[in-house]
Amino acid sequence: RYLRLNDNYIGGSLPKTITKLKKLRDLQLGDNFLVSSLPSDLGRMTDLRILTLNGNSLFGEIPNGLYNLKKLSALRLDDTLMREDPWLAVPNEGINGSISTFIGGLQDLEYLYLNNNPISGTIPTELGLCEKLKTLLLHRTNIEGEMPDKICPLRDKSLSSVYSDCRPYNGTAVPFIKCDCCSDCCDHSTGVCIADD
């Protein structure tokens, strides 16, 4: 039920057969040397509560199957660009695409880390349906627009940490994200975050 191999110098790609481990509840492979996309049939692992793949060289989009993991409480796909300056990465590096509106179906989600990725688009309003959220990290991405109104009221519940690129970008007056409820606002170009509470 538990596979915790963080920081173990594991290389290669994430085996597609890992999705056959349908009773697995906790899969932690963070801070290794994996170079891989996420398996398209990840949604078969329906007992999964914790999925941490941060600190690896991941690429490609978040597969729609991931949004079938209804018991998921922690999802870490952050820091997938293994460079000093991730914005010099070639296009096939890092988690890209956008956050699907299906994210709203993950109503047990408490921790969502997508920072330091070239993921783009806007923050879906449906994320506000994840009322158990405690930490939401979306800084140093290519996400733009506004923090949805449905997310801000969660700050009065359990959501204590919200990071986004809501500081003026590279000295300009326009931030990537307009956010009235972020705990920390970050500068997209420098990665510097300042508490905004």
Side-chain angles (χ1 to χ4, degrees), residues 53-110:
L53 297 170
N54 55 293
N56 288 290
S57 293
L58 301 181
F59 58 87
E61 298 186 11
I62 298 173
N64 282 334
L66 183 140
Y67 301 107
N68 292 330
L69 305 178
K70 305 298 184 187
K71 297 177 182 177
L72 205 61
S73 65
L75 176 61
R76 290 200 61 179
L77 300 177
D78 51 302
D79 297 316
T80 63
L81 295 172
M82 309 303 285
R83 293 168 178 259
E84 285 294 317
D85 186 350
W87 312 116
L88 295 177
V90 294
N92 65 341
E93 287 188 299
I95 298 293
N96 55 48
S98 59
I99 305 170
S100 169
T101 57
F102 295 133
I103 191 91
L106 304 182
Q107 295 189 11
D108 284 338
L109 198 60
E110 297 179 16

Side-chain angles (χ1 to χ4, degrees), residues 28-182:
Q28 298 189 38
L29 295 170
D31 296 313
N32 281 296
F33 295 93
L34 295 170
V35 179
S36 182
S37 60
L38 298 174
S40 59
D41 57 349
L42 197 58
R44 296 171 61 186
M45 304 175 76
T46 52
D47 267 353
L48 210 56
R49 270 80 163 171
I50 298 172
L51 176 60
T52 62
L53 297 170
N54 55 293
N56 288 290
S57 293
L58 301 181
F59 58 87
E61 298 186 11
I62 298 173
N64 282 334
L66 183 140
Y67 301 107
N68 292 330
L69 305 178
K70 305 298 184 187
K71 297 177 182 177
L72 205 61
S73 65
L75 176 61
R76 290 200 61 179
L77 300 177
D78 51 302
D79 297 316
T80 63
L81 295 172
M82 309 303 285
R83 293 168 178 259
E84 285 294 317
D85 186 350
W87 312 116
L88 295 177
V90 294
N92 65 341
E93 287 188 299
I95 298 293
N96 55 48
S98 59
I99 305 170
S100 169
T101 57
F102 295 133
I103 191 91
L106 304 182
Q107 295 189 11
D108 284 338
L109 198 60
E110 297 179 16
Y111 304 95
L112 178 60
Y113 293 55
L114 295 175
N115 51 297
N116 293 314
N117 276 305
I119 196 165
S120 59
T122 58
I123 303 167
T125 300
E126 289 80 2
L127 186 57
L129 297 173
C130 302
E131 295 187 355
K132 295 181 182 178
L133 267 179
K134 295 178 180 177
T135 302
L136 174 63
L137 303 186
L138 300 174
H139 57 292
R140 294 214 84 189
T141 65
N142 291 325
I143 295 172
E144 298 185 75
E146 296 187 14
M147 186 66 66
D149 291 339
K150 288 192 175 181
I151 293 176
C152 288
L154 301 182
R155 291 296 314 276
D156 296 327
K157 297 180 179 178
S158 57
L159 184 57
S160 59
S161 296
V162 183
Y163 284 58
S164 77
D165 292 329
C166 48
R167 288 187 69 203
Y169 171 54
N170 203 19
T172 70
V174 183
F176 266 52
I177 300 285
K178 183 180 183 297
C179 183
D180 295 326
C181 60
C182 286

